[in-house]
Amino acid sequence: MFPFRRPAELGSSCHVYFWSGPSSLWSCRRMSSHHEDPAAEQTSPGDDPSVSSTCEADSAVITVTIGATVPTGFEHTAAEEIKEKIGADARISKDRGRIYFPITTDKLFQVHLLRSVDNLFVVVDEYDRYQFKESKEEMLMELQQLASKLPWKNALKVWELNRTLKKKKGHRKGGNAARAKPSGETGDVAAADAEQQAPPLETPPAEADAKTESAPDSEEAAAEAKLTKFRVTCNRAGDKHSFSSNEAARDFGGAVQEFFQWKADMTKFDIEVLLNIHNEEVVIGIALTEESLHRRNISHFGPTTLRSTLCYGMLRLCKPQVSDVILDPMCGTGAIPLEGAIEFNSSFYVAGDNNDMAVNRTVNNICHIQKRRAGKGSTPGLPIDTVQWDICNLPIKTSSVDIIITDMPFGKRMGSRKKNWDLYPSCLREMARVCRPGSGKAVLLTQDKKCFAKAISRMGGLWRKVLTVWVNVGGLHAGVYLLKRTSATFGQTPEDVHEPRGAADTQLEDRNDKELS
């Protein structure tokens, strides 16, 4: 299971299961680091067996760096939200789709309330220009030695703290749902350092083996349940590395296992250690989310459900104001209007689709959110209404809508490229009719860029393109277009001229299809 999709030529992402037996390959991992790095000695779990008591320092406020994955193209949007809501200045990574920002542990709960981030992790250490060895063997040995030199202490404190904050969070994607943990199921964060992870490790491995052989099955299962379980996920991008993601995760993870004496488990893990390598940039972190935060709103999924984090980025582009009427004429599962009704609830949202199944999914998703809000004691109502209609003939008064925001069919899983040549001009004209001249805006997502550009050029000046944000949607390179409705009066421009498509248009479309496939 790969949490990040990467083009094959750039790199890959992998999880690796590590064997728990001793290995001569790992025997040198702690030799030099314990003398060179006093911090490493402090974080070794076997150094202090008295781990049941909580240190006063654990409750002290510390500053750490949080990393977040965000929809590619909306890194600046996420940085703006972090500045507004947390007051921290975010740094955008060279690796697209990632940002980093400092935070004090007393504000950790606010991080989980951000609407623009998919996954969160606390940074253990980072290297901006890591000097990779040309030899694979030397490089892998260096990764093994790195594990015992890293400053794990603060990151593990944040991991434990996060676990207490998110103990009622949903299960972890990838099979971790079966994990029954009294402290919770979400991406766990902790106020415990490596020594506080030691309770399961108070007994040396040799003694533990002897006891396991003589103990009953129930005792063996209980002892196993107490062990801290982990996995390493390596996300690598770049073509100048002498090693693969599998090899990096295997050797680095083996060293982590020996250093902490944790148990490796691919699915029912407590801690997920992240090894992110992007060209010369290396970041080691511990995951704080068990599943992506973009799944927050949708319970009834469709074939092309849009991520809630991407919906939030699109909504911020159009800057909804109080009492704005916002329309999603091709709502699908209702992801965009739902995100808007929750986060920008001073506006009113109208969601519609020509497909009855899509409308039903939207209604079910709205009901799900309302029940959830009612269960938490919040006001259950949402400023949103749902209608089934024809996108090219909307039952809406002319010039009555402030903002139109929608995910248009790409012509891949929904519709077809051929149909888009008729659909795009027709729906853009109808959107221009209902949108307020001079002040109205539209934010439209599509991957069929050529067809969209041609349709805009045939609108007779009703729409003006303001901004394009290039995003990755399910591995497809798509554009989010911010359009401004001009002051031109609908019906008094040559927007209804349908010019026939020539052979050149058809050939160019076919060529673009081949390039994208």
Side-chain angles (χ1 to χ4, degrees), residues 300-311:
H300 296 73
F301 289 85
T304 58
T305 301
L306 208 58
R307 301 164 73 95
S308 296
T309 47
L310 181 54
C311 298

Side-chain angles (χ1 to χ4, degrees), residues 283-483:
V283 180
I284 300 94
I286 297 176
L288 302 183
T289 46
E290 295 182 342
E291 68 171 1
S292 177
L293 299 178
H294 81 266
R295 296 175 174 271
R296 54 182 173 256
N297 297 335
I298 306 299
S299 57
H300 296 73
F301 289 85
T304 58
T305 301
L306 208 58
R307 301 164 73 95
S308 296
T309 47
L310 181 54
C311 298
Y312 177 82
M314 294 172 65
L315 283 157
R316 277 190 70 107
L317 276 183
C318 57
K319 300 177 180 177
Q321 302 298 312
V322 176
S323 76
D324 274 354
V325 176
I326 301 178
L327 176 71
D328 184 352
M330 295 179 273
C331 66
T333 57
I336 295 174
L338 262 174
E339 182 66 22
I342 294 170
E343 183 65 13
F344 304 95
N345 55 16
S346 296
S347 303
F348 184 77
Y349 299 82
V350 183
D353 205 290
N354 69 333
N355 187 296
D356 57 344
M357 292 180 65
V359 173
N360 287 336
R361 289 191 192 103
T362 300
V363 171
N364 289 332
N365 284 323
I366 294 171
C367 291
H368 171 74
I369 295 293
Q370 289 175 331
K371 288 178 182 177
R372 191 171 71 187
R373 289 161 66 98
K376 292 181 178 180
S378 304
T379 305
L382 290 171
I384 184 173
D385 205 352
T386 311
V387 187
Q388 184 174 355
W389 56 32
D390 175 8
I391 175 61
C392 300
N393 188 22
L394 297 173
I396 293 178
K397 186 177 179 181
T398 300
S399 305
S400 61
V401 174
D402 297 288
I403 296 171
I404 298 172
I405 178 168
T406 196
D407 174 15
M408 303 180 75
F410 289 8
K412 297 284 187 181
R413 280 176 287 183
M414 294 294 291
S416 69
R417 289 291 185 102
K418 184 176 180 181
K419 290 180 180 178
N420 283 352
W421 284 94
D422 294 323
L423 174 64
Y424 279 24
S426 298
C427 68
L428 281 169
R429 279 195 299 273
E430 186 66 356
M431 291 177 190
R433 181 186 69 81
V434 301
C435 197
R436 296 188 193 277
S439 62
K441 290 173 280 189
V443 176
L444 309 176
L445 168 65
T446 180
Q447 191 258 341
D448 198 348
K449 300 179 280 290
K450 179 182 182 300
C451 181
F452 183 82
K454 187 69 173 177
I456 288 291
S457 69
R458 294 168 57 186
M459 288 299 100
L462 291 172
W463 293 109
R464 178 172 60 85
K465 188 164 67 173
V466 178
L467 177 68
T468 304
V469 178
W470 301 111
V471 297
N472 185 305
V473 182
L476 299 175
H477 185 251
V480 175
Y481 298 89
L482 173 62
L483 308 179

Side-chain angles (χ1 to χ4, degrees), residues 468-509:
T468 304
V469 178
W470 301 111
V471 297
N472 185 305
V473 182
L476 299 175
H477 185 251
V480 175
Y481 298 89
L482 173 62
L483 308 179
K484 179 73 180 294
R485 176 66 167 88
T486 66
S487 57
T489 305
F490 183 84
Q492 297 183 7
T493 60
E495 74 279 355
D496 290 321
V497 176
H498 291 268
E499 56 189 62
R501 292 178 59 201
D505 281 345
T506 307
Q507 291 172 5
L508 185 55
E509 179 192 351

Side-chain angles (χ1 to χ4, degrees), residues 108-109 111-113 118-121 158-173 175-190 229 267-272 286-296 376:
L108 183 63
F109 72 96
V111 174
H112 289 274
L113 303 178
D118 288 318
N119 291 284
L120 297 163
F121 58 93
V158 174
W159 177 85
E160 186 63 38
L161 176 59
N162 187 73
R163 181 170 61 178
T164 63
L165 292 175
K166 303 295 292 181
K167 58 185 178 180
K168 293 184 179 180
K169 181 75 176 174
H171 62 80
R172 185 188 295 267
K173 182 180 177 183
N176 210 24
R179 181 182 61 188
K181 234 180 358 176
S183 59
E185 309 150 42
T186 343
D188 304 342
V189 183
K229 299 176 182 178
T267 55
K268 298 179 181 179
F269 51 90
D270 303 301
I271 297 178
E272 182 175 24
I286 297 176
L288 302 183
T289 46
E290 295 182 342
E291 68 171 1
S292 177
L293 299 178
H294 81 266
R295 296 175 174 271
R296 54 182 173 256
K376 292 181 178 180

